[in-house]
Amino acid sequence: MRSVVNSCWLLLGSTLCISHVALANPVQQRDSDYFMPNSTGFRMQHGFETVLVQPFGYDGFRVRAWPFRPPTGNEVSFIYDPPIEGPEDGKAHGTSFDTAFNGNRSIAIRNGNTLVRTSGNSGNPGGYRLAFYRVEQNGTETLLTNEYAPLKSINPRYYSWSGSGSEFSAEFSFSTTPDEQVYGTGTQQDHLVNKKGSTIDLINYNTFIPTPVFMSSKGYGFVWNMASEGRMEFGPLRNRFTARVATVVDYAITSAHPGDYDTLQRRLSAMTGRAPTPPDWSLGYIQSKLRYENQTEFILLAQNFKERKIPVSMFVIDYQSWAHQGDWALDPRLWPDVESMSKKVKELTGAEIMASLWPSVSDNSVNYLEMQANGYLSATRDGPGITDSWNGSYIRNYDSTNPEARDFLWKTLKRNYYDKGIKNFWIDQADGGSLGEAYENNGQSTYIQSIPYALPNSNYFAGTQFGVGKLYPWAHQQAIEEGTRNATSTEMGSPCDHISLSRSGYIGSQRFCSMIWSGDVSAVWETLGLQIASGLSAAATGWGWWTMDAGGFQPDPTVPWSTDIDRPEYRELYIRWFQWSTFVPFMRTHGQRVCAHQNAYTCPNEPWSYGEENTPTIVSYIKLRYQLAPYLRAVFNQFHKTGRMIMRPLYMDFEKSDPNIGRMTQQNTNVTTQQYMFGPNLLVSPVTLPNVTEWSVYLPRTQGDTETPWTYWWTNQTYAGGQTVTVPAPVEHIPLFHLGARNDILKGNIFK
Ligand SMILES: *[C@@H]1O[C@H](CO)[C@@H](O)[C@H](O)[C@H]1NC(C)=O
Ligand SMILES: *[C@@H]1O[C@H](CO)[C@@H](O)[C@H](O)[C@H]1NC(C)=O
Ligand SMILES: *[C@@H]1O[C@H](CO)[C@@H](O)[C@H](O)[C@H]1NC(C)=O
Ligand SMILES: *[C@@H]1O[C@H](CO)[C@@H](O)[C@H](O)[C@H]1NC(C)=O
Ligand SMILES: *[C@@H]1O[C@H](CO)[C@@H](O)[C@H](O)[C@H]1NC(C)=O
Ligand SMILES: *[C@@H]1O[C@H](CO)[C@@H](O)[C@H](O)[C@H]1NC(C)=O
Ligand SMILES: *[C@@H]1O[C@H](CO)[C@@H](O)[C@H](O)[C@H]1NC(C)=O
Ligand SMILES: *[C@@H]1O[C@H](CO)[C@@H](O)[C@H](O)[C@H]1NC(C)=O
Ligand SMILES: *[C@@H]1O[C@H](CO)[C@@H](O)[C@H](O)[C@H]1NC(C)=O
């Protein structure tokens, strides 16, 4: 039984409602055990500043704060109000509150096991400062975090103005302790699962999707619900969030028992969104390369898969397949009959097709004049409005923050692709602002590649790059979601028929039928290792639908064999990377390859392209992926229902049963940045070094006395947890262990 729940939030002056298909009987705490919120909120008028605090979902609070002027009503929010799950009574909405005061006394509100209290300092025992606690089972209160205010320093809620008007910059500081661990924060290429100590700019680039959602080892989760660019800092005593341009500050916090990260994810995803279930076919294998050039080659590709009897779920058409940037149509000179091509591919293999789209529109695109005339293009605050360049043409990005521009994009895609059988879209270069490369004037001079202008301060329908830049990729995913939902007459949240692939995203991107991949990474061993920690951080941010380019995207110019499919060094890296891709949410190869006799933009990247002796190994992983379909279906379903993470850093399942895990996670040792659980039963430790024949793996202690043994997938040898073991890892075997019976895993009988 499913029921439709409407969630609304205020977006750009109008209330936007999204229907969710909610499960009628989600596993939910019974409200009778629950401490109902004892207030609908308080509003603290403290001098020129207003702070509104409301109970929010289970065990959570939402805080909004502003100096002088109230919010404009045009603020963008990424959280559901009220959250998808929460206590039946006391659901605070909008800006409701029942208590108003001026900050001169201490007041408290409790919601479930979380308490917020205002407190002061020696001069003002009442106080305007917020502190958040967890109420323990024995009634004691444990401080989670409070607003950080050492004696005679700047206010923890600090505002500044660079000009007149209602826009301000904000810096909010929260206390932490040196031993706190911080998980999530979107993705950075930094080898870290614990982000403690990091300073992270909230500015998007290719491979870099900083997102202010995190889980703390102290047992709380936090969402900085701001579209603004800015910064996150995780210092020894202070966590600080900066918004460069804002008209309100908005954040939410929720708690759970320490170590209960599944509950934290459940709480966080009730605010930020639950993923729908992916189409069954998408759990298979996705074939892609830079780039299939034309229709003839594409059909030949499908024929090849059929003849070799290699299962495949989707083929991908990359960029430059259009006549001009922003046409959002395949170039008819190269793709003369799209409809018959997609039929043919389907007949041969059953596979779907995905096509790349870029947000960029060049002056010679068929759509340029109409989009310019209607205000569908983003401009820049100064100058001629150009946001980047590509291959010698200046371009402007379409304005994803404008609902009419989203409609225009979708109508064009529908006419040129969807109606002709290509129903999945690759939202490439989605980072916003420019085309997403740091310090690059794309495709202009190869001699000037690193001048320090970061992103243009673009002007959008919804605001500026500084003010709403973080909305751009999210709204771009939304364009494809809305369009596809319209075309299939389905509601958001219901099972997906098609999927998109996005290079970026933001808070709650998991609510769309959209995968996020780790971006254009280089094809070297070190980068392979980096992707593991990146995927684990994506998972903790809420993005379960994660993937990466198996084999790496582009050559590292300092490594002669990088991406060269004829060199044994690269073949080995490719096989190791490919075998790992079996154990991430979506299995997908992609990239630029180097080969003899062809230019670097068309070299092969098919399962049989890496030497005849290696083809059976590559194909064996594709087949294993299809065998795992029931298991995948079960973990994706669970993610849909409760937000239970698919890729699971070891702290999720073993922090309580194995004291080593907490310590190793804190120190970001290779065990915790390079090993993880894929679903509840599989432990994966991808080989990230060349010339390896055996591999050391730390197997966590499972649970005290009733210790469940680990079984090595390739030999069936069992091992007790709590030790490092060395297992044979010839190039055809990825180090993979399982808990429980292999048969149950293959049947997907994994959740009781
Ligand atoms: C707080 O301020 C209010 C309004 O000025 C005043 O009535 C009240 O007595 C003050 N309370 C304390 C505890 O200072
Ligand atoms: C709500 O409950 C908490 C914890 O019992 C208490 O400290 C607080 O004063 C209560 N607040 C209100 C407004 O009743
Ligand atoms: C209450 O429970 C907390 C958390 O389990 C524990 O740390 C604390 O020592 C307990 N306090 C008392 C007085 O039992
Ligand atoms: C299509 O692409 C293939 C492979 O790159 C190439 O050999 C062929 O010449 C192209 N055909 C057309 C019609 O462009
Ligand atoms: C760049 O544009 C030219 C036409 O102006 C085209 O022939 C060429 O293929 C393009 N190259 C790339 C890498 O896009
Ligand atoms: C989807 O349909 C709704 C309702 O007809 C419409 O308002 C919206 O603009 C459409 N969106 C897209 C992207 O087509
Ligand atoms: C461990 O991690 C470091 C980076 O932190 C890396 O350089 C090293 O190669 C890794 N070792 C193994 C065995 O993966
Ligand atoms: C791998 O082994 C081969 C042959 O034993 C050797 O030539 C090569 O240098 C080794 N590569 C690395 C990266 O250690
Ligand atoms: C391991 O056990 C599975 C059944 O659980 C079996 O299919 C497989 O052949 C065994 N592998 C080896 C190497 O014995």
Side-chain angles (χ1 to χ4, degrees), residues 38-221:
N38 57 6
S39 160
T40 61
F42 66 76
R43 186 186 141 125
M44 180 167 70
Q45 185 67 50
H46 169 244
F48 64 71
E49 187 200 18
T50 309
V51 180
L52 174 68
V53 180
Q54 299 168 302
F56 200 62
Y58 284 122
D59 301 302
F61 291 99
R62 182 182 188 180
V63 178
R64 274 167 289 178
W66 58 89
F68 300 117
R69 298 181 174 99
T72 62
N74 287 331
E75 287 80 15
V76 179
S77 170
F78 301 91
I79 58 183
Y80 290 101
D81 177 21
I84 296 167
E85 294 169 347
E88 280 310 308
D89 293 344
K91 273 188 181 170
H93 295 234
T95 53
S96 61
F97 59 91
D98 55 26
T99 307
F101 76 119
N102 66 5
N104 69 353
R105 64 192 166 100
S106 175
I107 72 165
I109 307 179
R110 182 171 168 189
N111 176 16
N113 290 329
T114 312
L115 183 80
V116 60
R117 171 176 289 128
T118 66
S119 65
N121 52 34
S122 53
N124 177 2
Y128 50 83
R129 186 178 163 209
L130 304 182
F132 300 93
Y133 302 84
R134 181 181 44 248
V135 181
E136 307 291 358
Q137 263 146 1
N138 61 19
T140 61
E141 293 171 10
T142 306
L143 179 68
L144 301 169
T145 183
N146 58 12
E147 290 180 324
Y148 178 74
L151 204 60
K152 298 186 197 291
S153 69
I154 64 166
N155 196 294
R157 303 188 298 269
Y158 177 70
Y159 309 92
S160 58
W161 288 263
S162 53
S164 57
S166 54
E167 291 185 339
F168 55 85
S169 305
E171 294 178 22
F172 273 44
S173 297
F174 301 90
S175 69
T176 175
T177 51
D179 63 343
E180 182 178 30
Q181 291 156 59
V182 171
Y183 310 130
T185 78
T187 64
Q188 297 86 44
Q189 297 283 324
D190 60 6
H191 228 298
L192 302 177
V193 160
N194 172 17
K195 300 289 177 166
K196 181 70 166 183
S198 297
T199 296
I200 303 166
D201 292 318
L202 284 166
I203 305 177
N204 298 336
Y205 292 108
N206 188 352
T207 77
F208 189 77
I209 325 173
T211 297
V213 175
F214 75 86
M215 298 196 290
S216 158
S217 58
K218 290 179 190 269
Y220 70 91

Side-chain angles (χ1 to χ4, degrees), residues 525 561 569 572 689-691:
W525 290 99
W561 53 259
E569 297 93 328
E572 184 188 350
L689 295 173
N691 283 2

